[in-house]
Amino acid sequence: MIRLFKVKEKQRELAESANGKPPVKKQSAGELRLQKDISELNLPKTCTISFPNGKDELMTFEVTIRPDEGYYLSGTFVFSFQISPIYPHEAPKVKCRTKVYHPNIDLDGNVCLNILREDWKPVLNINTIIYGLYHLFTEPNHEDPLNHDAAAVLRDNPKMFESNARRAMAGGYVGQTFFPRCI
């Protein structure tokens, strides 16, 4: 019986190619949900989305955040999103491609945002994640850090943290770590 379905599918593909039409690629449930999420995006004015592989490849895209307040005012931070075919049942993989001095983003670009980990639920969407990332720049959280050194400075000396964040965004060293310019 299974073999019969494979034969019928092969016959349909041959018939379509004989008609001169390319075979139609079926979209996964994740792609359909992502299409819906993207069509309903309501981004803050400081955020943009781009598709480096073209609009046909929705499962990989970038979000650029330019905070208009807080420690990271005027910085430009790029995040890559990789969406699983089983989205929304699995959270997107998000990495910060801009090296940043931040308590919730480590030097490898890993992001500590609860909705990308233990608090992910299928009812959440891309818009929610982007607002969560934006919130990391307006209100960095020293209580749940990936970069423990930055978190300690933020907790113990906010003025020094602000100075370090500014130096890193302008392009320079903070401690032993060099940060490329992102302003």
Side-chain angles (χ1 to χ4, degrees):
M1 191 103 145
I2 295 172
R3 182 169 265 225
L4 177 63
F5 289 121
K6 286 184 180 180
V7 170
K8 284 196 178 252
E9 187 177 316
K10 190 70 169 167
Q11 287 173 338
R12 190 173 344 113
E13 287 176 11
L14 288 172
E16 286 174 353
S17 63
N19 292 338
K21 296 179 186 172
V24 178
K25 180 184 173 251
K26 276 187 97 164
Q27 289 185 308
S28 69
E31 288 174 310
L32 292 171
R33 167 63 190 274
L34 182 60
Q35 243 175 359
K36 178 183 180 291
D37 283 4
I38 289 171
S39 72
E40 295 174 352
L41 276 178
N42 184 17
L43 297 177
K45 65 183 184 315
T46 58
C47 300
T48 57
I49 187 169
S50 63
F51 299 89
N53 300 332
K55 284 273 191 184
D56 292 335
E57 178 53 52
L58 293 180
M59 304 302 268
T60 304
F61 58 91
E62 292 179 345
V63 171
T64 302
I65 298 176
R66 293 179 183 87
D68 57 357
E69 60 181 288
Y71 297 115
Y72 300 95
L73 175 71
S74 301
T76 300
F77 307 95
V78 178
F79 291 85
S80 63
F81 281 64
Q82 184 66 47
I83 312 298
S84 162
I86 61 169
Y87 172 79
H89 301 289
E90 182 179 290
K93 305 289 184 242
V94 178
K95 281 267 217 195
C96 185
R97 296 189 43 195
T98 307
K99 193 170 185 180
V100 59
Y101 179 78
H102 195 290
N104 309 110
I105 302 171
D106 69 16
L107 298 177
D108 295 324
N110 297 309
V111 179
C112 182
L113 185 61
N114 64 329
I115 60 173
L116 292 174
R117 298 177 303 154
E118 72 275 0
D119 291 340
W120 176 256
K121 293 173 181 50
V123 297
L124 299 176
N125 59 29
I126 299 302
N127 209 56
T128 307
I129 296 169
I130 294 171
Y131 272 92
L133 293 171
Y134 178 77
H135 186 70
L136 285 181
F137 288 102
T138 58
E139 297 289 329
N141 178 5
H142 63 80
E143 293 175 7
D144 188 19
L146 278 181
N147 182 335
H148 295 280
D149 294 336
V153 174
L154 176 60
R155 182 187 62 241
D156 300 338
N157 190 345
K159 290 283 186 208
M160 174 66 89
F161 178 83
E162 182 174 14
S163 172
N164 288 349
R166 289 268 156 228
R167 188 174 327 117
M169 288 191 312
Y173 282 91
V174 175
Q176 300 295 315
T177 305
F178 178 76
F179 294 85
R181 184 176 177 85
C182 68
I183 294 182

